[in-house]
Every structure is written in structure tokens, then in C-alpha cells.
Amino acid sequence: MKYHLPLILYDPECPMCLRFKQGLEYLDKNLTFVSARDEAVYEKFPELSRQECLEKVHLITTEKKIISGPEVVDYLLHSLPGVSKLAWLLDNDQGKKVKDYFYQKVEELRELTNKKDNCGQCSRDDGSKK
């Protein structure tokens, strides 16, 4: 299967991931989204780890470079036309701290949402429903 780059891997079973995907689709129609649960993407990009992709966001750039976590935020800030105009606000030490703090808090919320005791809709690590 051929994938249009840049490509973002996301977890379609995570409500927060779906919301971010919807927001990014609204901002940029050129981004491609693929489920991190789709085995075909790991055949095409064997350097990806399914477990790591389910734990944090991964993006494959047009140059086929793989980035993850906060690096994806940086990439999107500088490449999305509507957002890039404001990227300069985060291009200093204080802005970086704010961005890192925000990313950390979003990750904590995502983890809480995906815990099997707190989210009956989410799958466990073994792929089965609770």
C-alpha cells in the first residue's frame, strides 16, 4: 500500500486521539492519518514499533523521517499554514516550556482515558475489549 506523506499514526480507539485527528484534518487537508492498529503500515515502515505508536503520536515526514511525541507538535506548528504564523510565540525557552508542559498534560489525560478501569470503550494492550 502506498501512503501519502506526511502521515500521522493515531489510535482510533482513543477518544482524545480522534479529537486531535479531527482538529488537524480541519486545519490541513494534506495530512494523512492511519490507524496505529493497522498492520499494513508496519509492513511498509518496518522501523516503526506498533507498541510505541500506540503509546504516543508518530509522524512520517515527506522526507520519510520518523518523529514522535513533542517533535510532532513542533513539526505541525511550523508546517501547518494557519498555525505556523503563531509558531514564533513558542520559539523561545518560555514557549518551549509551555509547549512541553501542555504535551505532558495531554499525554497524562490520554493515559487516564485509556486505562481499562476508566474507559470501557478502549481496548486493552492485547487488543481485546474490556
Side-chain angles (χ1 to χ4, degrees):
M1 176 177 235
K2 186 170 171 84
Y3 295 99
H4 180 269
L5 301 177
L7 175 113
I8 296 178
L9 287 111
Y10 75 102
D11 185 355
E13 295 183 21
C14 169
M16 189 171 291
C17 298
L18 283 174
R19 297 288 291 207
F20 277 109
K21 175 188 177 280
Q22 291 167 347
L24 289 172
E25 284 175 324
Y26 178 77
L27 290 172
D28 190 338
K29 305 293 184 211
N30 292 317
L31 293 171
T32 303
F33 296 88
V34 174
S35 168
R37 297 179 183 279
D38 182 358
E39 291 301 323
V41 75
Y42 303 105
E43 292 171 14
K44 177 71 176 174
F45 301 98
E47 60 274 28
L48 290 172
S49 161
R50 182 178 194 270
Q51 186 62 39
E52 288 178 17
C53 290
L54 287 171
E55 289 173 3
K56 61 183 171 181
V57 65
H58 279 66
L59 182 141
I60 304 171
T61 68
T62 52
E63 297 82 22
K64 296 186 180 175
K65 178 182 176 191
I66 297 172
I67 58 177
S68 65
E71 287 181 86
V72 173
V73 176
D74 289 336
Y75 177 88
L76 294 172
L77 280 172
H78 293 287
S79 65
L80 295 180
V83 180
S84 63
K85 293 174 184 161
L86 301 174
W88 64 271
L89 292 169
L90 301 175
D91 282 344
N92 57 46
D93 288 338
Q94 195 61 31
K96 182 178 180 339
K97 288 177 186 175
V98 168
K99 180 191 57 151
D100 290 345
Y101 179 79
F102 177 75
Y103 183 84
Q104 176 190 358
K105 292 303 171 191
V106 168
E107 273 300 298
E108 289 172 11
L109 285 172
R110 188 184 68 78
E111 288 174 18
L112 283 173
T113 301
N114 285 331
K115 282 192 186 260
K116 62 184 173 190
D117 294 332
N118 294 332
C119 183
Q121 297 174 331
C122 298
S123 294
R124 296 187 311 210
D125 288 341
D126 64 1
S128 66
K129 289 282 187 187
K130 179 181 158 191

